[in-house]
Amino acid sequence: MRSLAPAVLSLAALLLAACATRPVNPPLAQFDRQYGYRVSNWQVERGDPGFGLVVAMSGGGTRAAAFSFGILEELKRTAVPSPRGTAPLLDKVNFVTGVSGGSFTALAYALHGDRLFDEYERRFLKRDVQGDLAAMMLNPTTWPTILGGSFTRSDMAAEYYDRILFEGATFGDLRSRGGPFVNVAATEVTTGARITFNQNTFDLLCSDLSRVPLARAAAASSAVPVVFAPVGFDNYAGTCGFDLRENMVRAFGSDVANAKSGRASLRDRELAALQDGEAHRYLHLVDGGLSDNVGLRTVLEGLEVAMASERFRALTGFDKLRRFAVISVNSLAATEIEWGRHEAPPDVLSLLVRAAGVPIDRYSYEQVELLRDFVGAMRRIQGPDGQPLAIDFYAIDINFDAIEDAAEKRYFRNLPTSFVLNDEQVDRLRAMAGRLLRQSTEYQRLLRDLGASAKAD
Protein backbone atom coordinates (compact mmCIF):
# COMPACT_ATOMS: atom_id res chain seq x y z
CA MET A 1 0.00 0.00 0.00
CA ARG A 2 2.89 2.34 0.85
CA SER A 3 4.37 1.70 -2.59
CA LEU A 4 1.09 2.73 -4.26
CA ALA A 5 0.77 5.99 -2.33
CA PRO A 6 3.20 8.03 -4.48
CA ALA A 7 1.46 6.89 -7.65
CA VAL A 8 -1.99 7.75 -6.27
CA LEU A 9 -0.80 11.16 -5.12
CA SER A 10 0.81 11.82 -8.47
CA LEU A 11 -2.41 10.89 -10.29
CA ALA A 12 -4.45 13.12 -7.99
CA ALA A 13 -2.09 16.01 -8.58
CA LEU A 14 -2.33 15.46 -12.33
CA LEU A 15 -6.12 15.47 -12.23
CA LEU A 16 -6.28 18.62 -10.13
CA ALA A 17 -3.76 20.37 -12.37
CA ALA A 18 -5.79 19.45 -15.44
CA CYS A 19 -9.13 20.73 -14.11
CA ALA A 20 -10.72 22.74 -16.91
CA THR A 21 -12.99 25.75 -16.75
CA ARG A 22 -16.18 26.11 -18.75
CA PRO A 23 -16.54 28.59 -21.63
CA VAL A 24 -17.68 32.00 -20.42
CA ASN A 25 -20.38 33.98 -22.21
CA PRO A 26 -18.90 37.46 -22.73
CA PRO A 27 -20.30 40.60 -21.07
CA LEU A 28 -22.11 43.35 -22.97
CA ALA A 29 -20.33 46.66 -22.43
CA GLN A 30 -23.33 48.87 -23.21
CA PHE A 31 -26.97 48.04 -23.88
CA ASP A 32 -28.07 48.99 -27.39
CA ARG A 33 -31.53 47.95 -28.57
CA GLN A 34 -30.33 48.10 -32.18
CA TYR A 35 -27.63 45.51 -31.54
CA GLY A 36 -27.70 41.75 -31.50
CA TYR A 37 -29.76 38.72 -32.36
CA ARG A 38 -33.34 39.83 -31.73
CA VAL A 39 -36.56 39.77 -33.75
CA SER A 40 -36.75 43.56 -34.07
CA ASN A 41 -33.32 43.61 -35.76
CA TRP A 42 -34.08 40.70 -38.07
CA GLN A 43 -33.79 42.28 -41.51
CA VAL A 44 -34.15 39.11 -43.57
CA GLU A 45 -37.22 39.24 -45.81
CA ARG A 46 -38.91 35.89 -45.91
CA GLY A 47 -42.13 35.74 -47.84
CA ASP A 48 -45.11 38.04 -47.44
CA PRO A 49 -44.99 40.47 -44.46
CA GLY A 50 -48.72 39.89 -44.13
CA PHE A 51 -48.21 36.19 -43.46
CA GLY A 52 -46.67 34.95 -40.22
CA LEU A 53 -45.68 31.28 -40.12
CA VAL A 54 -44.28 29.77 -36.90
CA VAL A 55 -43.00 26.22 -36.42
CA ALA A 56 -42.71 25.16 -32.75
CA MET A 57 -40.60 22.04 -32.15
CA SER A 58 -41.08 20.11 -28.91
CA GLY A 59 -38.62 18.15 -26.80
CA GLY A 60 -38.09 14.40 -26.89
CA GLY A 61 -34.52 13.51 -27.92
CA THR A 62 -33.84 12.17 -31.41
CA ARG A 63 -37.54 11.29 -31.69
CA ALA A 64 -38.40 15.00 -31.50
CA ALA A 65 -35.52 16.01 -33.79
CA ALA A 66 -36.59 13.52 -36.49
CA PHE A 67 -40.31 14.30 -36.18
CA SER A 68 -39.62 18.04 -36.49
CA PHE A 69 -37.32 17.45 -39.46
CA GLY A 70 -40.12 15.53 -41.18
CA ILE A 71 -42.32 18.63 -40.89
CA LEU A 72 -39.62 20.77 -42.52
CA GLU A 73 -39.30 18.21 -45.32
CA GLU A 74 -43.05 18.33 -45.96
CA LEU A 75 -43.04 22.15 -46.01
CA LYS A 76 -40.20 22.01 -48.52
CA ARG A 77 -42.23 19.67 -50.76
CA THR A 78 -45.26 21.97 -50.69
CA ALA A 79 -45.40 24.64 -53.40
CA VAL A 80 -47.13 27.99 -52.82
CA PRO A 81 -47.63 30.94 -55.18
CA SER A 82 -44.85 33.52 -55.20
CA PRO A 83 -44.03 36.63 -57.25
CA ARG A 84 -41.80 34.46 -59.44
CA GLY A 85 -44.21 31.58 -59.87
CA THR A 86 -44.08 29.12 -57.00
CA ALA A 87 -41.83 28.56 -53.99
CA PRO A 88 -41.64 26.02 -51.16
CA LEU A 89 -43.90 26.84 -48.23
CA LEU A 90 -40.78 26.33 -46.11
CA ASP A 91 -39.47 29.64 -47.46
CA LYS A 92 -42.43 31.38 -45.78
CA VAL A 93 -41.43 30.20 -42.28
CA ASN A 94 -40.16 33.27 -40.46
CA PHE A 95 -39.99 32.06 -36.85
CA VAL A 96 -38.92 28.70 -35.38
CA THR A 97 -38.92 27.73 -31.72
CA GLY A 98 -37.19 24.67 -30.34
CA VAL A 99 -36.86 22.94 -26.99
CA SER A 100 -34.55 20.08 -25.98
CA GLY A 101 -34.43 17.59 -28.89
CA GLY A 102 -36.32 20.03 -31.10
CA SER A 103 -33.66 22.69 -30.51
CA PHE A 104 -31.16 20.74 -32.63
CA THR A 105 -33.43 20.77 -35.68
CA ALA A 106 -34.40 24.41 -35.13
CA LEU A 107 -30.84 25.68 -34.76
CA ALA A 108 -29.41 23.46 -37.49
CA TYR A 109 -32.01 24.63 -40.01
CA ALA A 110 -31.47 28.30 -39.16
CA LEU A 111 -27.73 27.75 -39.64
CA HIS A 112 -27.53 25.41 -42.64
CA GLY A 113 -30.73 26.15 -44.58
CA ASP A 114 -31.38 23.82 -47.52
CA ARG A 115 -28.00 22.16 -46.97
CA LEU A 116 -29.57 20.49 -43.94
CA PHE A 117 -31.74 18.25 -46.12
CA ASP A 118 -28.66 16.59 -47.59
CA GLU A 119 -26.70 16.20 -44.35
CA TYR A 120 -28.87 16.12 -41.24
CA GLU A 121 -29.68 12.42 -41.11
CA ARG A 122 -26.01 11.49 -41.54
CA ARG A 123 -24.63 14.11 -39.19
CA PHE A 124 -27.18 13.78 -36.40
CA LEU A 125 -30.42 11.82 -36.81
CA LYS A 126 -28.84 8.49 -37.72
CA ARG A 127 -25.79 8.88 -35.52
CA ASP A 128 -25.53 7.15 -32.15
CA VAL A 129 -25.17 10.43 -30.29
CA GLN A 130 -25.93 8.81 -26.94
CA GLY A 131 -23.33 6.08 -27.49
CA ASP A 132 -20.69 8.58 -28.56
CA LEU A 133 -21.29 10.71 -25.47
CA ALA A 134 -21.18 7.68 -23.17
CA ALA A 135 -17.91 6.54 -24.72
CA MET A 136 -16.42 9.99 -24.18
CA MET A 137 -17.46 10.03 -20.53
CA LEU A 138 -16.02 6.55 -19.91
CA ASN A 139 -12.73 7.32 -21.63
CA PRO A 140 -10.08 7.83 -18.90
CA THR A 141 -8.29 10.40 -21.05
CA THR A 142 -11.26 12.75 -20.66
CA TRP A 143 -11.48 12.47 -16.88
CA PRO A 144 -8.85 15.13 -16.12
CA THR A 145 -10.99 17.60 -18.06
CA ILE A 146 -14.26 16.99 -16.24
CA LEU A 147 -13.06 16.09 -12.74
CA GLY A 148 -13.01 19.23 -10.63
CA GLY A 149 -13.11 22.72 -12.07
CA SER A 150 -16.25 24.10 -13.72
CA PHE A 151 -16.06 22.17 -17.00
CA THR A 152 -18.75 19.46 -16.91
CA ARG A 153 -19.94 16.56 -19.04
CA SER A 154 -22.53 18.94 -20.53
CA ASP A 155 -19.72 21.22 -21.70
CA MET A 156 -18.07 18.18 -23.27
CA ALA A 157 -21.38 17.35 -24.96
CA ALA A 158 -21.55 20.90 -26.34
CA GLU A 159 -18.09 20.48 -27.88
CA TYR A 160 -19.25 17.21 -29.44
CA TYR A 161 -22.40 18.83 -30.90
CA ASP A 162 -20.21 21.57 -32.30
CA ARG A 163 -17.95 19.07 -34.10
CA ILE A 164 -20.72 16.99 -35.65
CA LEU A 165 -23.32 19.65 -36.47
CA PHE A 166 -22.74 23.32 -35.69
CA GLU A 167 -19.20 23.89 -37.03
CA GLY A 168 -18.23 26.54 -34.49
CA ALA A 169 -21.13 28.85 -35.43
CA THR A 170 -22.43 31.44 -32.98
CA PHE A 171 -25.68 33.38 -32.83
CA GLY A 172 -23.87 36.24 -34.52
CA ASP A 173 -23.33 34.02 -37.56
CA LEU A 174 -27.07 33.51 -38.05
CA ARG A 175 -27.55 37.13 -39.12
CA SER A 176 -25.94 36.42 -42.50
CA ARG A 177 -27.62 33.06 -43.22
CA GLY A 178 -30.99 34.37 -44.44
CA GLY A 179 -33.00 31.81 -42.51
CA PRO A 180 -35.89 32.20 -40.08
CA PHE A 181 -35.41 33.67 -36.64
CA VAL A 182 -34.85 30.81 -34.19
CA ASN A 183 -35.74 30.91 -30.51
CA VAL A 184 -34.59 28.02 -28.30
CA ALA A 185 -35.02 27.83 -24.54
CA ALA A 186 -33.53 26.30 -21.41
CA THR A 187 -34.59 26.38 -17.74
CA GLU A 188 -32.62 28.14 -15.01
CA VAL A 189 -32.78 25.82 -12.00
CA THR A 190 -32.35 28.40 -9.20
CA THR A 191 -35.19 30.71 -10.23
CA GLY A 192 -37.17 28.37 -12.49
CA ALA A 193 -37.00 31.04 -15.20
CA ARG A 194 -37.15 30.17 -18.88
CA ILE A 195 -33.99 31.44 -20.58
CA THR A 196 -34.53 32.14 -24.26
CA PHE A 197 -31.47 32.51 -26.46
CA ASN A 198 -32.12 35.90 -28.00
CA GLN A 199 -30.50 39.25 -27.25
CA ASN A 200 -33.64 40.56 -25.55
CA THR A 201 -33.09 38.06 -22.73
CA PHE A 202 -29.33 38.47 -22.77
CA ASP A 203 -29.73 42.26 -22.45
CA LEU A 204 -31.08 41.57 -18.97
CA LEU A 205 -27.96 39.50 -18.25
CA CYS A 206 -25.78 42.24 -19.80
CA SER A 207 -24.20 39.54 -21.97
CA ASP A 208 -23.40 39.47 -25.69
CA LEU A 209 -25.31 36.59 -27.27
CA SER A 210 -23.69 37.07 -30.68
CA ARG A 211 -20.54 35.33 -29.39
CA VAL A 212 -22.33 32.38 -27.76
CA PRO A 213 -21.95 29.09 -29.71
CA LEU A 214 -25.13 27.49 -31.03
CA ALA A 215 -23.89 24.17 -29.69
CA ARG A 216 -23.88 25.56 -26.17
CA ALA A 217 -27.51 26.65 -26.49
CA ALA A 218 -28.47 23.18 -27.76
CA ALA A 219 -26.58 21.55 -24.89
CA ALA A 220 -28.37 23.73 -22.32
CA SER A 221 -31.80 23.20 -23.87
CA SER A 222 -31.34 19.40 -23.83
CA ALA A 223 -29.51 18.99 -20.50
CA VAL A 224 -31.86 16.47 -18.88
CA PRO A 225 -31.34 16.65 -15.09
CA VAL A 226 -29.36 13.76 -13.57
CA VAL A 227 -28.27 12.54 -17.02
CA PHE A 228 -26.45 15.80 -17.79
CA ALA A 229 -25.00 18.48 -15.56
CA PRO A 230 -26.41 22.02 -15.75
CA VAL A 231 -24.75 24.28 -18.32
CA GLY A 232 -23.22 27.32 -16.65
CA PHE A 233 -23.64 30.92 -17.79
CA ASP A 234 -22.49 34.19 -16.25
CA ASN A 235 -24.96 36.89 -15.25
CA TYR A 236 -23.61 40.46 -15.47
CA ALA A 237 -26.98 42.13 -14.76
CA GLY A 238 -26.75 45.79 -13.80
CA THR A 239 -23.47 46.53 -15.59
CA CYS A 240 -24.57 47.63 -19.09
CA GLY A 241 -27.26 50.27 -18.54
CA PHE A 242 -30.24 48.03 -19.28
CA ASP A 243 -33.48 48.84 -17.42
CA LEU A 244 -36.29 46.28 -17.68
CA ARG A 245 -39.02 48.71 -16.62
CA GLU A 246 -37.93 51.39 -19.09
CA ASN A 247 -37.95 48.91 -21.96
CA MET A 248 -41.41 47.65 -21.08
CA VAL A 249 -42.78 51.20 -21.07
CA ARG A 250 -41.16 51.83 -24.44
CA ALA A 251 -42.71 48.66 -25.90
CA PHE A 252 -46.18 48.96 -24.39
CA GLY A 253 -46.61 52.67 -23.57
CA SER A 254 -49.69 53.33 -21.44
CA ASP A 255 -50.74 49.69 -21.96
CA VAL A 256 -47.89 48.37 -19.82
CA ALA A 257 -50.14 47.43 -16.89
CA ASN A 258 -52.53 45.44 -19.08
CA ALA A 259 -49.65 43.84 -20.98
CA LYS A 260 -48.27 42.45 -17.74
CA SER A 261 -51.29 40.33 -16.93
CA GLY A 262 -51.44 36.53 -17.05
CA ARG A 263 -48.53 34.67 -18.67
CA ALA A 264 -46.78 37.93 -19.52
CA SER A 265 -46.81 38.88 -15.85
CA LEU A 266 -45.26 35.55 -14.89
CA ARG A 267 -42.56 36.09 -17.50
CA ASP A 268 -41.93 39.57 -16.12
CA ARG A 269 -41.41 38.14 -12.60
CA GLU A 270 -39.04 35.48 -13.95
CA LEU A 271 -36.88 38.07 -15.65
CA ALA A 272 -37.05 40.52 -12.73
CA ALA A 273 -35.51 37.89 -10.44
CA LEU A 274 -32.50 37.66 -12.75
CA GLN A 275 -31.85 41.40 -12.44
CA ASP A 276 -30.14 40.70 -9.11
CA GLY A 277 -26.67 40.09 -10.50
CA GLU A 278 -25.25 39.35 -7.06
CA ALA A 279 -27.76 36.76 -5.87
CA HIS A 280 -27.77 35.17 -9.32
CA ARG A 281 -24.20 35.78 -10.46
CA TYR A 282 -24.09 32.34 -12.06
CA LEU A 283 -26.95 30.71 -13.95
CA HIS A 284 -27.32 26.95 -14.16
CA LEU A 285 -29.33 25.90 -17.20
CA VAL A 286 -31.02 22.55 -17.74
CA ASP A 287 -33.55 21.04 -20.15
CA GLY A 288 -35.95 23.63 -21.56
CA GLY A 289 -38.75 21.07 -21.35
CA LEU A 290 -39.08 21.78 -17.63
CA SER A 291 -40.46 25.23 -18.43
CA ASP A 292 -41.85 24.75 -21.96
CA ASN A 293 -41.72 21.34 -23.66
CA VAL A 294 -43.57 22.23 -26.86
CA GLY A 295 -41.87 25.58 -27.58
CA LEU A 296 -45.14 27.52 -27.42
CA ARG A 297 -44.67 29.74 -24.36
CA THR A 298 -42.92 32.48 -26.33
CA VAL A 299 -45.72 32.43 -28.91
CA LEU A 300 -48.46 32.45 -26.27
CA GLU A 301 -46.85 35.31 -24.36
CA GLY A 302 -46.52 37.30 -27.58
CA LEU A 303 -50.18 36.74 -28.45
CA GLU A 304 -51.28 37.72 -24.95
CA VAL A 305 -49.29 40.95 -25.06
CA ALA A 306 -50.56 41.68 -28.58
CA MET A 307 -54.12 41.34 -27.28
CA ALA A 308 -53.43 43.81 -24.46
CA SER A 309 -51.25 46.43 -26.15
CA GLU A 310 -52.04 48.38 -29.31
CA ARG A 311 -48.56 49.93 -29.17
CA PHE A 312 -46.95 46.48 -29.10
CA ARG A 313 -48.99 45.43 -32.15
CA ALA A 314 -47.81 48.49 -34.04
CA LEU A 315 -44.13 48.08 -33.10
CA THR A 316 -44.05 44.41 -34.04
CA GLY A 317 -45.99 44.76 -37.27
CA PHE A 318 -48.80 42.60 -35.91
CA ASP A 319 -51.39 45.01 -37.30
CA LYS A 320 -50.11 44.26 -40.82
CA LEU A 321 -50.68 40.53 -40.55
CA ARG A 322 -53.49 39.02 -42.56
CA ARG A 323 -52.63 35.37 -41.94
CA PHE A 324 -50.93 33.86 -38.91
CA ALA A 325 -50.23 30.12 -38.65
CA VAL A 326 -48.57 28.13 -35.87
CA ILE A 327 -47.49 24.56 -36.56
CA SER A 328 -46.95 22.84 -33.21
CA VAL A 329 -44.76 19.78 -33.77
CA ASN A 330 -45.67 17.87 -30.64
CA SER A 331 -43.68 14.62 -30.36
CA LEU A 332 -44.78 13.92 -26.80
CA ALA A 333 -45.81 10.33 -26.22
CA ALA A 334 -47.31 8.15 -23.53
CA THR A 335 -44.86 5.29 -23.09
CA GLU A 336 -46.59 2.21 -21.70
CA ILE A 337 -45.57 1.55 -18.11
CA GLU A 338 -46.33 -1.74 -16.39
CA TRP A 339 -45.73 -0.71 -12.78
CA GLY A 340 -49.38 -1.44 -11.99
CA ARG A 341 -48.82 -5.14 -12.76
CA HIS A 342 -46.22 -5.60 -10.01
CA GLU A 343 -46.38 -5.32 -6.24
CA ALA A 344 -42.77 -4.13 -5.92
CA PRO A 345 -42.43 -0.36 -6.31
CA PRO A 346 -40.38 1.10 -9.20
CA ASP A 347 -36.75 2.05 -8.62
CA VAL A 348 -35.74 5.57 -7.60
CA LEU A 349 -34.34 6.62 -10.99
CA SER A 350 -37.51 5.51 -12.80
CA LEU A 351 -39.61 7.44 -10.30
CA LEU A 352 -37.55 10.59 -10.81
CA VAL A 353 -37.92 10.39 -14.58
CA ARG A 354 -41.65 9.74 -14.32
CA ALA A 355 -42.18 12.48 -11.74
CA ALA A 356 -40.63 15.00 -14.12
CA GLY A 357 -42.39 13.68 -17.20
CA VAL A 358 -46.01 13.64 -16.02
CA PRO A 359 -46.38 17.40 -15.32
CA ILE A 360 -44.38 18.24 -18.46
CA ASP A 361 -46.73 16.18 -20.63
CA ARG A 362 -49.87 17.60 -19.00
CA TYR A 363 -48.63 21.20 -19.29
CA SER A 364 -47.66 20.63 -22.93
CA TYR A 365 -51.16 19.57 -23.93
CA GLU A 366 -52.55 22.55 -22.00
CA GLN A 367 -50.41 24.94 -24.05
CA VAL A 368 -51.82 23.58 -27.30
CA GLU A 369 -55.34 24.15 -25.99
CA LEU A 370 -54.41 27.68 -24.90
CA LEU A 371 -53.19 28.38 -28.43
CA ARG A 372 -56.62 27.43 -29.77
CA ASP A 373 -58.27 29.70 -27.19
CA PHE A 374 -56.07 32.61 -28.26
CA VAL A 375 -57.02 32.06 -31.88
CA GLY A 376 -60.65 32.75 -30.97
CA ALA A 377 -59.84 35.66 -28.66
CA MET A 378 -57.58 37.44 -31.16
CA ARG A 379 -60.44 37.68 -33.66
CA ARG A 380 -62.18 40.04 -31.24
CA ILE A 381 -59.31 42.57 -31.12
CA GLN A 382 -59.90 45.94 -32.75
CA GLY A 383 -57.31 47.59 -34.96
CA PRO A 384 -56.32 51.29 -35.09
CA ASP A 385 -59.45 52.04 -37.15
CA GLY A 386 -61.73 50.51 -34.52
CA GLN A 387 -62.53 47.54 -36.72
CA PRO A 388 -61.73 43.92 -35.82
CA LEU A 389 -58.30 42.82 -36.99
CA ALA A 390 -58.75 41.02 -40.29
CA ILE A 391 -56.42 38.13 -39.46
CA ASP A 392 -56.98 34.50 -40.32
CA PHE A 393 -55.48 32.22 -37.66
CA TYR A 394 -54.41 28.62 -38.13
CA ALA A 395 -53.55 26.51 -35.06
CA ILE A 396 -52.00 23.35 -36.54
CA ASP A 397 -51.22 20.72 -33.90
CA ILE A 398 -49.25 17.70 -35.14
CA ASN A 399 -49.04 14.83 -32.66
CA PHE A 400 -49.18 11.03 -32.45
CA ASP A 401 -52.75 11.03 -31.11
CA ALA A 402 -53.94 11.78 -34.66
CA ILE A 403 -52.70 8.40 -35.91
CA GLU A 404 -55.78 6.29 -36.62
CA ASP A 405 -54.25 2.78 -36.63
CA ALA A 406 -53.96 1.60 -33.00
CA ALA A 407 -50.85 -0.54 -33.53
CA GLU A 408 -49.12 2.23 -35.45
CA LYS A 409 -50.00 4.77 -32.78
CA ARG A 410 -48.62 2.48 -30.08
CA TYR A 411 -45.37 2.12 -32.05
CA PHE A 412 -44.73 5.86 -32.18
CA ARG A 413 -45.91 6.60 -28.67
CA ASN A 414 -43.45 4.06 -27.27
CA LEU A 415 -40.37 5.25 -29.13
CA PRO A 416 -37.66 6.25 -26.62
CA THR A 417 -36.69 9.87 -26.00
CA SER A 418 -32.99 9.00 -25.98
CA PHE A 419 -30.44 10.41 -28.40
CA VAL A 420 -30.22 7.23 -30.45
CA LEU A 421 -32.76 5.59 -32.77
CA ASN A 422 -32.21 3.07 -35.52
CA ASP A 423 -32.50 4.08 -39.18
CA GLU A 424 -35.97 2.60 -39.61
CA GLN A 425 -37.34 4.50 -36.61
CA VAL A 426 -35.90 7.80 -37.88
CA ASP A 427 -37.34 7.28 -41.36
CA ARG A 428 -40.77 6.29 -40.05
CA LEU A 429 -40.88 9.40 -37.83
CA ARG A 430 -40.07 11.65 -40.78
CA ALA A 431 -42.66 10.01 -43.01
CA MET A 432 -45.34 10.11 -40.30
CA ALA A 433 -44.72 13.81 -39.67
CA GLY A 434 -45.37 14.58 -43.33
CA ARG A 435 -48.49 12.40 -43.41
CA LEU A 436 -50.00 13.94 -40.27
CA LEU A 437 -49.34 17.46 -41.55
CA ARG A 438 -51.04 16.71 -44.86
CA GLN A 439 -54.03 15.20 -43.03
CA SER A 440 -54.50 18.17 -40.69
CA THR A 441 -57.74 19.99 -41.48
CA GLU A 442 -56.25 23.30 -40.31
CA TYR A 443 -53.23 22.78 -42.59
CA GLN A 444 -55.51 21.91 -45.51
CA ARG A 445 -57.43 25.13 -44.87
CA LEU A 446 -54.17 27.08 -44.90
CA LEU A 447 -53.14 25.52 -48.21
CA ARG A 448 -56.51 26.33 -49.77
CA ASP A 449 -56.27 29.94 -48.63
CA LEU A 450 -52.74 30.22 -49.98
CA GLY A 451 -53.67 28.54 -53.26
CA ALA A 452 -50.94 25.99 -52.55
CA SER A 453 -50.38 22.49 -53.86
CA ALA A 454 -48.70 19.67 -51.97
CA LYS A 455 -46.43 17.34 -53.93
CA ALA A 456 -46.91 13.63 -53.45
CA ASP A 457 -44.16 11.63 -51.72
Side-chain angles (χ1 to χ4, degrees), residues 266-457:
L266 172 62
R267 181 61 174 159
D268 182 46
R269 292 195 299 272
E270 287 182 349
L271 296 179
L274 298 176
Q275 286 188 114
D276 188 343
E278 292 186 5
H280 302 291
R281 175 64 180 85
Y282 302 101
L283 306 183
H284 307 284
L285 308 189
V286 296
D287 197 312
L290 297 177
S291 54
D292 176 16
N293 202 40
V294 287
L296 282 177
R297 272 191 66 184
T298 296
V299 178
L300 291 171
E301 289 163 358
L303 289 174
E304 182 176 56
V305 173
M307 289 176 61
S309 173
E310 181 178 335
R311 180 178 176 84
F312 179 82
R313 294 196 297 271
L315 287 174
T316 58
F318 201 89
D319 285 338
K320 298 178 182 178
L321 283 177
R322 293 299 171 260
R323 291 192 178 96
F324 185 70
V326 178
I327 302 175
S328 173
V329 192
N330 188 349
S331 67
L332 297 181
T335 304
E336 294 179 1
I337 297 176
E338 298 188 346
W339 294 348
R341 298 177 181 271
H342 307 283
E343 181 180 2
D347 60 81
V348 174
L349 181 57
S350 297
L351 279 174
L352 287 173
V353 173
R354 185 63 176 163
V358 169
I360 287 175
D361 292 350
R362 298 295 183 271
Y363 182 55
S364 298
Y365 282 109
E366 179 188 356
Q367 287 191 72
V368 175
E369 292 305 313
L370 284 171
L371 176 62
R372 293 195 178 99
D373 292 342
F374 270 119
V375 167
M378 291 295 288
R379 292 195 177 102
R380 298 191 292 270
I381 297 178
Q382 294 183 345
D385 57 359
Q387 299 298 315
L389 293 178
I391 302 178
D392 287 323
F393 285 89
Y394 309 81
I396 304 167
D397 180 29
I398 306 302
N399 64 77
F400 299 137
D401 287 343
I403 301 174
E404 294 182 357
D405 183 84
E408 195 172 37
K409 181 186 295 186
R410 188 179 306 111
Y411 170 85
F412 285 101
R413 292 179 66 163
N414 282 281
L415 287 176
T417 58
S418 61
F419 274 107
V420 56
L421 294 175
N422 62 44
D423 291 0
E424 179 188 0
Q425 292 169 329
V426 168
D427 290 339
R428 289 187 66 175
L429 279 162
R430 293 160 62 186
M432 179 54 69
R435 189 208 304 178
L436 292 177
L437 183 59
R438 290 191 299 273
Q439 292 175 353
S440 165
T441 55
E442 275 290 271
Y443 184 65
Q444 291 173 5
R445 183 170 71 89
L446 173 63
L447 294 184
R448 287 195 301 270
D449 291 351
L450 293 174
S453 59
K455 298 179 181 178
D457 291 342

Side-chain angles (χ1 to χ4, degrees), residues 8-21 143-149:
V8 172
L9 291 174
S10 297
L11 177 60
L14 176 63
L15 293 177
L16 290 173
C19 290
T21 57
W143 295 350
T145 305
I146 59 177
L147 289 177

Side-chain angles (χ1 to χ4, degrees), residues 53 55 70-79 87-91 93 327 437 443:
L53 179 53
V55 179
I71 295 295
L72 297 184
E73 291 179 307
E74 181 63 25
L75 294 175
K76 183 176 175 63
R77 287 190 292 263
T78 304
L89 181 54
L90 182 63
D91 291 351
V93 175
I327 302 175
L437 183 59
Y443 184 65

